[in-house]
Amino acid sequence: EGVTENHLMELLRNSGDSPETARRPLPEMEWVYQEMKRKHVTLHLLWEEYRKEHREGYGYTRFCGYYKAFKSRQEVSLRQEYKAGERMFVDWAGDTVTLWDGKTGESRQVSLFIAVLGASNYTFARAFENRQQASWIQAHILAWEFFGGVARLTIPDNEKTGVTTAGRYEMDMHRTYEELAEHYGTVVIPARPREPRDKAKVESAVLNAERRILAVLRDQKFFSLGELNVAIERALSELNERPFQKMPGNRKLLFEQVERSALSPLPVTRYEVATWTKAKVNIDYHIQVDWHLYSVPYHLVNEPVEVRLTSRTVEIMHNGTRVAMHQRSYLRGKATTDSMHRPKSHTEHLNWTPERLIEWAGNAIGINGRQVTSKILESLPHPELGYRSCLGLIRLVRKYGADRTEQACVRAIRLEACSYRSVNSILKTGMDSQALEPHAAMPIAVHDNIRGADYYRTDEIERTGTHAE
């Protein structure tokens, strides 16, 4: 009486022991097994605690032997021991789910993402439109938020969205995936190619999800991803609360007891999905990204750079150092320019305005110089096209003086030839010193249909005999 079922089985299995040895107390090996999943807990520590409570208990070697015998009777998937909060395994399910279009009747296949914690087998599942990188990153974020924390290691398969180059001993990961791991404080260790034992936990979780989620929903028709994920959430809750077959409790209970507190906390801000691309700085110290131009420091002209794009920002990197950051714009063909990126000469040039140039010409040359400058700017499709001509006009003062330049402008206005080239030619040929001929009077044409000035001097009443209304 008072002997537990497990202890009784141990007594039967060790019937060769002496009666005195067989009566020694032994802790429940299931409890020992679960405690071993806790962070920093070792079998030697549990044995020490056991001996403090039972001084006549078994020695360390026999204690380890009982524990080893217990583990050998567990199912294969439970033989590997994972510490609480240590590993999260992720993968896509092999089977897909069908979504239907209610209007056209067409169907499409969507993918099921699975994440499982190593110590508790607590599982996360969610459907996504595709297996592209944006879905892969978003799936990880939602999994960590579902668990309420982050495992120290993340174990994916060799997905192209996460691993760019797969090898048995070394692997290159996608820049965005590395950035995601850094943001959440986890280390990504992809499973080795053709080594299913490296991710046996998630293989088992995928199998359970296909049997306990996809199979359960097989006879239902779904017309949106949101509707499907609501149904998956209900089936997932049942899966996590389903009792274990060979030990007490369930995934959710074990997660709450052992693993939740061992997870690292979530970061303050959610990771914003970013994509990386490469570009080359143009001669105008801008790069083109998604049909929009963004400036970089002018000394990087012709240099290759890396660009990190989010929905809100554009970061430009050169040799691993951020050299520029802009708010993202979706206006095609437009430019976003930081004035600090321009050379000093370009900055001064952009401070010129039509009004400033006209005023400058008036001060340097005179009233007629001001008028010629104004006409130059007005004659072109855009004022900036005339900036060089205006500056050239003003610089003529250095060579010919203000008075001669002003007289040349008077002649240019009379000849309706308001340009830098015309004024310069007038000064070169000395025509500015010649007297201007008075305007000749226009000859008046004589014709029966021309009424003449006298007609309009006649009072309207006298001409028509009526009042104009």
Side-chain angles (χ1 to χ4, degrees), residues 68 76 96 118 127 173 180 196 199 242 248 255 301 328 382 415 443:
K68 185 177 180 180
V76 176
T96 56
M173 285 191 297
L180 172 76
K199 54 185 181 70
R242 185 181 181 82
F255 168 75
V301 166
R328 186 167 183 179
H382 195 281
L415 298 174

Side-chain angles (χ1 to χ4, degrees), residues 18-81:
S18 65
E20 180 182 353
T21 305
R23 294 192 189 96
R24 294 180 188 179
L26 188 69
E28 293 283 347
M29 285 298 130
E30 290 174 354
W31 175 83
V32 176
Y33 180 79
Q34 300 302 339
E35 287 297 304
M36 283 291 292
K37 294 182 178 182
R38 293 184 181 274
K39 189 177 180 180
H40 306 310
V41 174
T42 64
L43 197 58
H44 195 275
L45 174 64
L46 295 176
W47 173 77
E48 288 178 344
E49 294 175 350
Y50 156 72
R51 285 302 296 267
K52 285 180 182 179
E53 187 175 351
H54 304 284
R55 294 189 178 276
E56 73 285 2
Y58 295 108
Y60 180 64
T61 302
R62 177 57 68 86
F63 184 85
C64 291
Y66 279 122
Y67 180 67
K68 185 177 180 180
F70 171 81
K71 282 209 307 176
S72 67
R73 296 190 298 273
Q74 306 307 303
E75 58 183 354
V76 176
S77 61
L78 293 179
R79 284 183 181 173
Q80 297 187 49
E81 288 187 5

Side-chain angles (χ1 to χ4, degrees), residues 122-352:
Y122 197 50
T123 304
F124 167 79
R126 191 175 184 88
F128 290 87
E129 285 285 356
N130 52 57
R131 299 189 180 188
Q132 295 177 6
Q133 189 180 69
S135 299
W136 178 251
I137 298 298
Q138 185 70 11
H140 281 67
I141 295 171
L142 294 178
W144 285 319
E145 292 177 354
F146 175 80
F147 295 137
V150 184
R152 288 177 290 284
L153 300 177
T154 301
I155 317 296
D157 200 355
N158 290 283
E159 288 288 333
K160 291 296 183 184
T161 50
V163 180
T164 54
T165 305
R168 185 173 181 84
Y169 302 107
E170 289 185 353
M171 300 184 186
D172 295 327
M173 285 191 297
H174 199 284
R175 183 74 174 270
T176 304
Y177 199 29
E178 284 185 339
E179 196 176 68
L180 172 76
E182 183 179 353
H183 183 83
Y184 280 88
T186 185
V187 177
V188 177
I189 304 180
R192 293 170 295 173
R194 296 176 295 279
E195 288 290 345
R197 289 176 297 178
D198 288 359
K199 54 185 181 70
K201 183 72 68 171
V202 75
E203 295 286 351
S204 177
V206 166
L207 185 61
N208 279 327
E210 290 174 345
R211 290 175 176 176
R212 299 294 176 183
I213 297 178
L214 299 186
V216 170
L217 305 178
R218 67 188 184 281
D219 294 328
Q220 299 184 40
K221 254 190 173 182
F222 300 99
F223 297 92
S224 71
L225 198 63
E227 179 187 3
L228 171 60
N229 278 319
V230 170
I232 289 175
E233 188 177 347
R234 289 195 298 265
L236 177 65
S237 179
E238 294 179 5
L239 171 63
N240 283 323
E241 295 175 5
R242 185 181 181 82
F244 290 126
Q245 289 184 354
K246 296 191 177 182
M247 55 184 182
N250 56 48
R251 291 173 175 80
K252 184 176 182 180
L253 182 61
L254 189 56
F255 168 75
E256 297 289 348
Q257 292 176 345
V258 173
E259 198 145 31
R260 180 187 286 277
S261 60
L263 296 173
S264 301
L266 292 168
V268 177
T269 59
R270 176 190 271 197
Y271 174 76
E272 187 173 11
V273 177
T275 56
W276 287 84
T277 186
K278 294 181 179 180
K280 187 176 181 180
V281 182
N282 294 323
I283 192 67
D284 61 355
Y285 51 88
H286 283 70
I287 61 170
Q288 180 173 296
V289 181
D290 197 18
W291 302 102
H292 190 88
L293 298 175
Y294 298 93
S295 68
V296 299
Y298 69 91
H299 59 81
L300 294 176
V301 166
N302 292 326
E303 289 289 321
V305 293
E306 288 184 309
V307 185
R308 180 179 181 270
L309 287 168
T310 70
S311 61
R312 297 180 298 172
T313 61
V314 176
E315 294 179 78
I316 304 167
M317 311 286 186
H318 181 252
N319 292 334
T321 302
R322 187 172 72 187
V323 294
M325 184 172 181
H326 300 279
Q327 183 175 349
R328 186 167 183 179
S329 174
Y330 294 91
L331 298 176
R332 293 169 65 93
K334 301 297 182 179
T336 298
T337 307
D338 186 337
S339 60
M340 299 298 293
H341 295 159
R342 297 188 179 103
K344 185 178 179 181
S345 59
H346 288 203
T347 303
E348 292 176 352
H349 169 76
L350 288 174
N351 287 332
W352 302 335

